[in-house]
Amino acid sequence: MSETPAGSPMEAPKKSNTGLIIGIVVVLLLCCCCISALGGWYLWENGDDLFATGYLLIPNFV
């Protein structure tokens, strides 16, 4: 009996991909945050030109 039965303790344990999945999720969240921050900054700097709403605020302060 030199054969080992299936499920014997000699088999290598299955490798977990939990670390890889967590790493991918963290990288995707960081990318989403960076894209949102860049979009917010762009709209902060160019929003009046894009939406032409800045001139509506001036009579309120004069």
Side-chain angles (χ1 to χ4, degrees):
M1 286 200 171
S2 62
E3 295 181 20
T4 57
S8 69
M10 301 290 283
E11 293 180 9
K14 292 185 178 180
K15 192 174 182 182
S16 174
N17 290 332
T18 305
L20 179 65
I21 293 170
I22 291 174
I24 291 172
V25 169
V26 167
V27 168
L28 287 175
L29 285 174
L30 285 174
C31 288
C32 289
C33 288
C34 289
I35 290 171
S36 297
L38 286 173
W41 172 79
Y42 180 79
L43 287 175
W44 183 266
E45 293 294 323
N46 301 312
D48 291 338
D49 295 336
L50 291 174
F51 300 115
T53 57
Y55 71 91
L56 296 174
L57 296 174
I58 294 173
N60 294 332
F61 297 108
V62 176

